[in-house]
Amino acid sequence: MNRNDLRRVDLNLLIVFETLMHERSVTRAAEKLFLGQPAISAALSRLRGLFDDPLFVRTGRSMEPSARAVEIFALLSPALDSISTAVSRAAEFDPATSTAVFRIGLSDDVEFALLPMLLKRLRAESPGIVLVVRRANYILMPSLLASGEISIGVSYTADLPANAKRKVLRRSMPKLLRADTVPGPLSLDDFCARPHALVSFAGDLSGFIDEELEKLGRKRHVVLAVPQFNGLSTLLSGTDIVATVPDYTADALTAAGGVRAEDPPLPVRSFELHMAWRGSQDNDPGERWLRSRIQMFFGDPDSLA
């Protein structure tokens, strides 16, 4: 196919194809693109004619891509990124007048402890924009970025899509959170004897603290696992339960009252808080503006020194 032949290709069909590759479902692709299922089905029929291939085969509730679809996707995805980059570079962005919609992914600790400060700044600088926040973590981040459901994510991250970019915002130290009135910091024996609460998106009953305790030949007893931080103060109130949380989360929880924070009574390592974003939007003026504000209000230069 030469460049003139491209005139008969509807770019919207390629967007539908990419979304189907991510979602493996006509229903979810329709929801993602804000279209009806008949429209997605019709687009899929046209795609099959365009590429002369079934592209997807239904297996149970999922649609598995054909070998040809996988081959097309490997070539198409970076091409669509390049088109997006070319268009975004030509666009202008004025925060004061923009009505852009930004979709970002935040881990629970970041949303609870750091988002309020950022939101106040965004409302002052750009009152017309819309901010859509998705819950993200190191498990969800790769697929959210790859599918375009978010353009920026902030959390601890591990693996990321090949075209994603990443930057360290801060290094966080764990803090011990407690609501009791016993004076003085906890000793290691007290720490191990106390019941513990753990914030875990996946519902795990162990974490990095257990790894550090194991190095010392010690153990703790986790009696509560919850998926988010914002109710932790209430849960600890009136109990002898303790919890270990990131320092910036501890600051937000202690500021609200009812709990106090101290250093854990054992050696602990710092953790990096990352900002990751889609490479195709690296030079988008609006995205660059938002990333600069996130770095300003989520970052901590002193922790990186």
Side-chain angles (χ1 to χ4, degrees), residues 96-246:
T97 60
S98 177
T99 57
V101 177
F102 293 99
R103 300 180 184 275
I104 66 175
L106 303 178
S107 55
D108 172 65
D109 52 319
V110 172
E111 180 183 341
F112 168 68
L114 302 178
L115 179 59
M117 295 183 294
L118 172 67
L119 187 58
K120 290 177 183 177
R121 178 59 176 259
L122 298 185
R123 292 298 302 159
E125 283 192 41
S126 190
I129 68 167
V130 177
L131 192 66
V132 179
V133 179
R134 297 286 303 274
R135 180 60 50 82
N137 55 36
Y138 73 96
I139 300 172
L140 300 175
M141 188 76 75
S143 62
L144 289 172
L145 285 169
S147 67
E149 293 176 73
I150 62 172
S151 60
I152 304 171
V154 181
S155 76
Y156 163 76
T157 60
D159 297 328
L160 290 173
N163 66 339
K165 296 181 178 291
R166 173 167 50 192
K167 184 172 190 176
V168 178
L169 292 176
R170 63 165 68 203
R171 293 189 178 94
S172 169
M173 292 299 297
K175 291 288 185 179
L176 177 63
L177 206 65
R178 51 192 289 206
D180 63 82
T181 57
V182 178
L186 291 183
S187 67
L188 181 58
D189 287 339
D190 293 333
F191 180 83
C192 293
R194 286 287 190 96
H196 287 251
L198 179 68
V199 179
S200 168
F201 177 83
D204 298 326
L205 291 177
S206 64
F208 74 95
I209 287 293
D210 301 279
E211 296 172 5
E212 299 302 328
L213 285 171
E214 187 177 359
K215 295 175 184 177
L216 302 174
R218 308 296 293 267
K219 292 183 178 181
R220 65 172 177 170
H221 181 44
V222 176
V223 301
L224 175 68
V226 294
Q228 55 193 28
F229 287 89
N230 60 4
L232 205 52
S233 295
T234 302
L235 294 172
L236 297 186
S237 178
T239 76
D240 61 347
I241 301 174
V242 297
T244 307
V245 302

